[in-house]
Amino acid sequence: MRDILGGKGAGLAEMAQLERAAKKRFGDAQNPLLVSVRSGAAVSMPGMMETILNLGLNDETVEGLVAGSANPRFAYDSYRRFVQMYGDVVFDLGKDPFEEVLDELKQRRRVERDIDLPADDLRGLVREFKSILQARTGLPFPEDPMAQLWGAIEAVFKSWRTRRAVDYRRVHGIPDDLGTAVNVVAMVYGNMGDDSGTGVAFTRDCSTGEPVLNGDFLTNAQGEDVVSGARTPESIAKMKRGKLAKVYRELERIAAKLERHFRDVQDIEFTFEHGKLYMLQTRRAQRTGLAAVRIAVELVGERLITEDEAVQRVPPQDLDQVFHPMVAPDATPTVIAKGLPASPGAAIGEAVFDADEAETLAKRGRAVILIRPETSPEDFHGIVAARAVLTARGGMTSHAAIVARGMGKTCVVGAKDIEVDPRAGGGAGQFRANGRVVKKGQVITVDGTTGRVLLGAVKLVEPKLGAHYATLMTWADERRRLRVRANADTPADAARARELGAEGVGLCRTEHMFFQGDRITAMREMIVARDEAGRRGALAKLLPMQRADFEGIFEALAGFPVTIRLLDPPLHEFLPHTRDEVTTLAHAMKMPVAELQRLVTSLVEANPMLGHRGCRLGITYPEITEVQARAIFEAACRVVGRGKKVMVEVMIPLVALAEELRQQSAIVRRVAREVFQAEGRGVPYL
């Protein structure tokens, strides 16, 4: 058709078919057909692309809508929504100019909700919104419905290249060259009164995986009201009783049918108009890692998918989310506020009230919590950067909730007790909650599992894995052809790795054993020692520490191989940096502070990654290799003596020449013989 009629002609032909189905005419003053213009990418990108509703309204067609509905308030509410959305999306004016006028009017009328404004006020808003558009662009609002349509189509196509859409594709690995379709769909109206409404439903709980229909809805509203968080919606469970019970039963029936058909959890958008249910779209639901594991296992139990499909449906990044920390059960935190637990886990960070600032601080290595009245797609880069997201408004299906869940990001939404003011403090931002004020930079903890907002940095612990995880991993084990080892630098790491099914340690980085407490001091003493005697003195302190750690690792991985890399410290990571650190080390070594500072300065390298480290350190100071080898083999002999099997593999790091390997391996083998002779037993090693 497009080849014969051209693009515009084909579009007109499609519109004619839509008119026949709806029994309305596009642009007709008596019985107008209104449409929504929506994106349609091959891969769902919730909230990232543009949508325009109620397209086709002008000063003539709105009167036809008034006559046909006998509801002037509904007609002018739809009209002001359309002008506002068109100015935002097509003319790129943003939401703020229109929201400011709307908020000012609500304050004058002393009402909190848009739906409480009468028809005359909404008619006045339409005129004022058009004036804003004319003043800011120098162009009049387009009254011709066909001109409106082509402007909207172009804007939706362009939204594929917006920053938020590009960022979303980068985070989720979606190719940029896929592009998007544009869908033109006849409107149905959820803003026609209390027997009309709109909502979003999930066929299972996408935070936990529980098999229960859940979601949010609003009466007398359109879809943007629910997902934007501008109004805090109600749970669809409230639809079960009362005048919306019939709508709920129909929704429940269709939701179950859709899940069976697609064999996966569905994210459904719906509208009901005067009690009649309309399904707007269905797509695969975003879910947390915890939910993904449970859903995959239970769908197998329901014979909707196979075990092979279950294993393939849970990507590695979802499994990573399963290990997100949680607030310690024995913690006694100060609860500032409570909201809806939109995405589980717990996170600690500085309060930040602007997405750009969240991104900037995160790039500097700061942990931040993004706090907003509600999020919009323009905040996406800030959500990516933040450890957690907190909003004052919105429900479980709001933009913040859906995006955070899809990324495995801790999130609490609809915290009604908090009043967010992003502009307070000269633009720094703050929020008030139950008599407390939290300002930018103040540390808080967000608990996405319970919905709590906690003051300060609260103690966090690792979660316990459930039966669903064990089942999925059993299926994966039965199908895999590779054996998996873990990185483990401490006995606790090794025990955790074994608990999760690792069949050995592929890399134990011995320098990582010295980052805490008195160990870092002994390590620094060894690095800055002026002679061999000083180094041996420091190494004598390190020997029992390393030996004890190796014993713990061998115990945890008994019967499985453990690869231990000899010391490979980038010196810049261990050297004292601050004046206080230099002073503390100088006192421990009984050395003048100035002399130690000169030593530290002399050890700074232009390129530490190619500097004095790895086997080069052991060649310069053989005593370092000797002490490490002794700690390894003494620990191995002790564990073998307790009846456990030990499999040791010693790695000589950063070898460039065969002579380097020969010298270092000779030291390791000599020390092994000495230890085996002294202990009266040997241990096989590589």
Side-chain angles (χ1 to χ4, degrees):
M1 184 187 298
R2 182 172 294 273
D3 291 340
I4 298 171
L5 300 178
K8 288 188 178 181
L12 288 170
E14 294 291 340
M15 289 298 297
Q17 293 183 35
L18 191 58
E19 288 172 337
R20 284 193 292 273
K23 297 180 181 178
K24 298 177 181 180
R25 292 285 304 278
F26 188 62
D28 185 73
Q30 279 73 47
N31 187 25
L33 169 68
L34 304 187
V35 298
S36 65
V37 181
R38 308 161 66 99
S39 65
V43 179
S44 179
M45 297 167 53
M48 297 300 116
M49 305 287 288
E50 299 291 9
T51 296
I52 297 178
L53 306 179
N54 307 311
L55 190 143
L57 281 172
N58 57 29
D59 291 344
E60 292 183 356
T61 57
V62 72
E63 296 304 327
L65 196 61
V66 170
S69 65
N71 188 340
R73 198 218 154 272
F74 148 70
Y76 279 98
D77 180 52
S78 300
Y79 197 5
R80 71 91 189 165
R81 288 172 182 269
F82 170 51
V83 177
Q84 179 175 349
M85 201 172 274
Y86 206 87
D88 171 21
V89 174
V90 178
F91 286 92
D92 200 25
L93 296 180
K95 296 180 175 64
D96 288 349
F98 307 103
E99 291 290 347
E100 288 171 6
V101 172
L102 179 59
D103 289 343
E104 184 182 336
L105 178 60
K106 287 191 290 186
Q107 287 177 4
R108 287 205 311 270
R109 294 290 184 259
R110 297 182 179 179
V111 298
E112 293 186 1
R113 304 178 303 170
D114 305 355
I115 60 175
D116 296 323
L117 293 171
D120 287 343
D121 281 348
L122 295 169
R123 184 186 291 112
L125 275 177
V126 170
R127 289 193 297 269
E128 196 159 356
F129 284 177
K130 287 183 177 181
S131 297
I132 291 171
L133 195 152
Q134 174 92 42
R136 298 208 174 199
T137 67
L139 298 171
F141 178 78
E143 296 288 336
D144 177 12
M146 194 56 71
Q148 295 172 0
L149 179 61
W150 287 111
I153 290 171
E154 181 181 9
V156 173
F157 274 130
K158 284 182 176 179
S159 69
W160 179 258
R161 299 302 307 170
T162 59
R163 175 181 177 176
R164 63 178 185 265
V166 171
D167 286 347
Y168 187 92
R169 291 196 296 275
R170 186 185 70 249
V171 169
H172 292 278
I174 301 171
D176 282 330
D177 58 2
L178 279 183
T180 183
V182 175
N183 300 309
V184 180
V185 185
M187 283 292 301
V188 288
Y189 307 101
N191 58 330
M192 295 190 77
D194 290 339
D195 62 349
S196 302
T198 188
V200 178
F202 300 96
T203 54
R204 302 189 187 219
D205 189 316
C206 291
S207 290
T208 66
E210 183 183 358
V212 57
L213 182 66
N214 66 102
D216 299 323
F217 81 103
L218 283 169
T219 56
N220 202 5
Q222 290 194 333
E224 181 69 11
D225 298 334
V226 177
V227 297
S228 71
R231 287 168 58 189
T232 298
E234 297 184 279
S235 167
I236 61 171
K238 291 190 176 181
M239 296 172 64
K240 289 182 181 180
R241 291 174 293 278
K243 61 184 179 182
L244 298 179
K246 182 179 178 182
V247 175
Y248 181 84
R249 288 194 298 272
E250 181 72 357
L251 175 64
E252 193 173 40
R253 182 187 68 79
I254 294 174
K257 187 174 183 179
L258 288 170
E259 183 174 280
R260 286 195 304 272
H261 175 77
F262 289 105
R263 301 185 307 126
D264 203 353
V265 181
Q266 295 299 294
D267 170 354
I268 301 165
E269 292 184 18
F270 63 92
T271 288
F272 50 98
E273 181 182 311
H274 293 317
K276 183 176 181 179
L277 179 66
Y278 295 88
M279 308 304 289
L280 304 184
Q281 76 167 21
T282 188
R283 59 190 173 195
R284 179 186 181 276
Q286 300 283 351
R287 65 208 72 178
T288 65
L290 183 70
V293 171
R294 177 173 178 175
I295 288 166
V297 171
E298 292 188 350
L299 287 178
V300 172
E302 295 166 24
R303 298 186 177 182
L304 289 176
I305 63 174
T306 65
E307 292 178 4
D308 285 342
E309 288 174 304
V311 171
Q312 292 170 341
R313 279 194 180 184
V314 183
Q317 58 267 32
D318 279 9
L319 290 179
D320 179 58
Q321 294 174 28
V322 174
F323 306 108
H324 281 190
M326 57 186 288
V327 173
D330 59 351
T332 55
T334 300
V335 179
I336 307 172
K338 191 166 184 180
L340 300 173
S343 187
I348 299 169
E350 301 174 39
V352 174
F353 298 85
D354 177 77
D356 291 337
E357 187 161 21
E359 183 180 55
T360 299
L361 292 176
K363 286 179 178 177
R364 296 175 187 166
R366 307 260 286 276
V368 298
I369 307 293
L370 179 62
I371 304 167
R372 301 287 292 157
E374 71 268 345
T375 66
S376 71
E378 283 72 22
D379 294 318
F380 180 75
H381 59 292
I383 296 174
V384 172
R387 297 287 178 89
V389 181
L390 169 64
T391 71
R393 298 192 289 270
M396 297 291 281
T397 58
S398 64
H399 172 266
I402 291 174
V403 171
R405 270 199 300 273
M407 297 170 59
K409 188 88 61 176
T410 296
C411 181
V412 171
V413 299
K416 297 179 181 179
D417 292 338
I418 73 173
E419 181 184 334
V420 180
D421 185 352
R423 298 183 180 88
Q430 68 178 36
F431 75 79
R432 296 178 181 273
N434 298 314
R436 294 182 181 272
V437 177
V438 174
K439 298 181 179 180
K440 175 196 163 187
Q442 194 167 342
V443 174
I444 62 171
T445 301
V446 175
D447 184 354
T449 304
T450 65
R452 295 180 299 170
V453 184
L454 311 171
L455 191 64
V458 177
K459 178 184 175 185
L460 305 182
V461 295
E462 294 297 319
K464 293 183 178 179
L465 302 176
H468 293 103
Y469 176 85
T471 299
L472 187 70
M473 289 298 99
T474 298
W475 294 340
D477 273 343
E478 290 169 355
R479 287 156 177 79
R480 68 183 171 88
R481 288 176 289 177
L482 292 174
R483 301 181 70 182
V484 179
R485 297 193 194 183
N487 282 6
D489 307 321
T490 66
D493 289 346
R496 183 68 166 159
R498 187 69 198 104
E499 177 188 333
L500 297 175
E503 295 178 287
V505 169
L507 182 63
C508 173
R509 297 160 291 192
T510 54
E511 64 276 2
H512 284 200
M513 296 174 169
F514 303 117
F515 277 126
Q516 71 267 9
D518 56 347
R519 296 185 174 198
I520 188 70
T521 301
M523 183 69 170
R524 286 170 172 170
E525 287 181 29
M526 188 271 292
I527 291 173
V528 301
R530 287 171 288 190
D531 51 32
E532 182 178 341
R535 276 188 299 279
R536 287 195 178 276
L539 287 167
K541 298 178 185 178
L542 295 174
L543 173 61
M545 300 175 189
Q546 282 219 304
R547 184 172 56 215
D549 279 355
F550 290 142
E551 282 190 57
I553 292 171
F554 293 147
E555 287 273 5
L557 273 299
F560 293 96
V562 177
T563 300
I564 298 172
R565 185 178 72 190
L566 298 184
L567 207 59
D568 180 26
L571 293 183
H572 68 284
E573 292 184 10
F574 288 92
L575 290 173
H577 296 288
T578 67
R579 181 73 179 176
D580 287 345
E581 289 176 347
V582 172
T583 301
T584 300
L585 183 59
H587 289 162
M589 297 183 69
K590 298 181 174 57
M591 178 187 293
V593 173
E595 182 180 348
L596 178 58
Q597 184 63 66
R598 283 194 298 274
L599 269 172
V600 168
T601 302
S602 71
L603 290 170
V604 173
E605 297 177 310
N607 187 346
M609 299 307 293
L610 296 176
H612 197 197
R613 59 183 295 182
C615 67
R616 296 185 285 278
L617 196 62
I619 290 170
T620 307
Y621 307 121
E623 58 271 18
I624 295 176
T625 304
E626 288 178 12
V627 169
Q628 282 213 290
R630 188 169 301 281
I632 292 169
F633 294 120
E634 286 181 356
C637 287
R638 292 184 183 188
V639 174
V640 168
R642 294 194 285 268
K644 302 287 182 65
K645 183 179 180 181
V646 175
M647 301 170 65
V648 186
E649 299 173 354
V650 180
M651 179 190 292
I652 311 293
L654 292 183
V655 171
L657 302 172
E659 181 60 21
E660 292 174 337
L661 178 61
R662 189 193 66 76
Q663 288 187 25
Q664 288 290 282
S665 61
I667 295 172
V668 172
R669 295 184 189 283
R670 172 175 59 78
V671 172
R673 289 193 299 270
E674 293 171 359
V675 171
F676 296 161
Q677 185 174 1
E679 295 286 339
R681 62 170 56 88
V683 177
Y685 68 94
L686 293 177

